[in-house]
């Protein structure tokens, strides 16, 4: 409950410490799981001191127990072991320090650890963190490779040497971390996040050599798994040996059986690539040569055709045909002109034969009255009337004379020269 205090009425440190101790005393006994990081067994001492740490968080608490309690598990428990402790929180008022008084210690067996990992695996799989569609493809030729590995470890040497042997120009951004123990999880998580934030890093390798199930537990920790799942950069898991399968292998974009295998999968081999380029170049050369040969054969076949061997023959053939057509055209036109000329001459002869001029040529004359009317009957004229006579050579005037009509209805007329 709250306390009534102020700057003018503060509580002494001792009273505050005793109050905290009273609150903690009411907590009662609890089962606590953690990893032993420090263990102190002084000879002859009746109390054993150890530090219990949360492997997933940077949190630890001091634990004390009587020697007889620890002796029951002394053969199975050492620094780095995971244990379950039945303890009661205690507050040491003189120093203001919290600790746990252990009444029972139980080592966490391999079977239990594997069962917990299996439950965690199912839980993360249900969230879709292991789904294949989440896997990101690795770049063909990474310019900068991030490496999360133990300091001066065989895994670091294997990755660097094999990668540079395959592609000498490859560069690395290395983050040395603890790969087992209580500091492994936070350091691995921090290293992955740091490398993921570097834009130049194309791929991240998390590598560690082989070890026991307990040694590889940090790479099955939920925090590590989620950090890798959230990374934008492709992550390659290279933990332990082929039989080892930490949860990191399932969430990573690519699993390598060993650190050496990771270097082979991340970086291409320059010799193999040069050989592949040579093979592709040979294939391209063969394809081009085949195409040229095929086109040359086609061209030779085309050039062997008569139209290309004697190109003027087609012109000559067309010339002969044109001359024949022109001859036929001239003959046809000549026939048409001759026929038209004959028809015209015949028509002209008929016209000439039927024309008044031809009649006049035979000695006939045409008499016309002054108004131009042609005289066709004697009754149409009267005595003394002046008429115009038209003959083939010209014309002249005549006048109708007095007298009786002669036989045949003719009248005498006097003619006056008018000229031609």
């Amino acid at each position: 409950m709250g306390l009534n205090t102020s700057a003018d009425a503060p509580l002494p440190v001792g009273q505050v410490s005793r109050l905290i101790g009273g609150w903690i005393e009411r907590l009662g006994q609890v089962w606590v799981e953690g990893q032993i990081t420090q263990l102190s067994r002084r000879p002859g001492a009746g109390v054993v001191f150890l530090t219990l740490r949360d492997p997933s968080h940077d949190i630890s608490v001091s634990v004390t127990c009587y020697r007889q309690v620890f002796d029951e598990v002394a053969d199975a428990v050492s620094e780095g072991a995971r244990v379950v402790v039945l303890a009661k929180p205690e507050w040491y008022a003189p120093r203001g320090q919290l600790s746990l008084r252990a009444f029972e210690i139980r080592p966490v067996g391999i079977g239990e650890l594997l069962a917990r990992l299996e439950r965690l695996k199912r839980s993360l799989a249900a969230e879709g963190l292991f789904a294949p569609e989440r896997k990101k493809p690795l770049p063909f030729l990474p310019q900068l490779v991030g490496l999360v590995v133990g300091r001066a470890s065989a895994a670091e040497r294997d990755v660097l040497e094999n990668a540079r042997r395959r592609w000498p120009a490859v560069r690395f951004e290395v983050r040395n971390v603890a790969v087992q123990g209580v500091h492994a999880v936070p350091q691995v998580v921090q290293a992955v996040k740091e490398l993921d934030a570097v834009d130049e890093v194309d791929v991240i390798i998390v590598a560690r050599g082989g070890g026991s199930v307990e040694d590889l537990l940090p790479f099955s920790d939920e925090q590590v798994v989620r950090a890798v799942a959230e990374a934008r950069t492709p992550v390659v898991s290279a933990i332990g040996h082929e039989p080892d399968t930490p949860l990191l292998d399932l969430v990573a974009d690519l699993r390598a059986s060993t650190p050496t295998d990771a270097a082979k999968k991340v970086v291409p081999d320059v010799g193999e690539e040069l050989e592949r380029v040579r093979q592709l170049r040979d294939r391209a050369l063969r394809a081009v040569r085949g195409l040229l040969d095929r086109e040359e054969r086609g061209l030779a076949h085309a050039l062997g055709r008569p139209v290309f061997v004697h190109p003027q023959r087609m012109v000559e053939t067309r010339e002969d045909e044109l001359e024949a057509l022109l001859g036929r055209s001239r003959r046809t036109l000549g026939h048409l002109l001759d026929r038209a000329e004959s028809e015209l001459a015949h028509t002209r002869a008929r016209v000439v034969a039927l024309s008044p001029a031809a009649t006049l040529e035979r000695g006939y004359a045409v008499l016309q009255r002054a108004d131009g009317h042609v005289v066709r009957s004697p009754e149409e004229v009267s005595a003394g009337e002046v008429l115009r006579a038209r003959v083939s050579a010209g014309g002249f005037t005549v006048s109708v004379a007095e007298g009786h009509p002669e036989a045949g209805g003719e009248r005498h007329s006097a003619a006056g020269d008018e000229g031609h």
Side-chain angles (χ1 to χ4, degrees), residues 242-287:
E242 180 66 34
D244 300 321
T245 55
L247 297 185
L248 179 62
D249 288 349
L250 303 178
V251 73
D253 299 291
L254 180 68
R255 177 188 181 267
S257 58
T258 62
T260 301
D261 183 50
K264 293 180 179 179
K265 290 184 175 180
V266 169
V267 180
D269 184 85
V270 63
E272 294 177 358
E273 296 306 318
L274 288 176
E275 177 63 20
R276 186 177 290 110
V277 170
R278 187 191 64 78
Q279 293 176 358
L280 292 175
R281 182 181 58 192
D282 292 343
R283 287 177 56 189
L285 185 59
R286 290 194 298 271

Side-chain angles (χ1 to χ4, degrees), residues 84 92 98 104 114 174 197 207 215 238 255 278 283 299 350 383:
V84 176
Y92 187 58
L98 176 66
E104 184 180 352
L114 293 178
V174 181
D215 294 339
R255 177 188 181 267
R278 187 191 64 78
R283 287 177 56 189
L299 182 59
R350 292 176 59 192

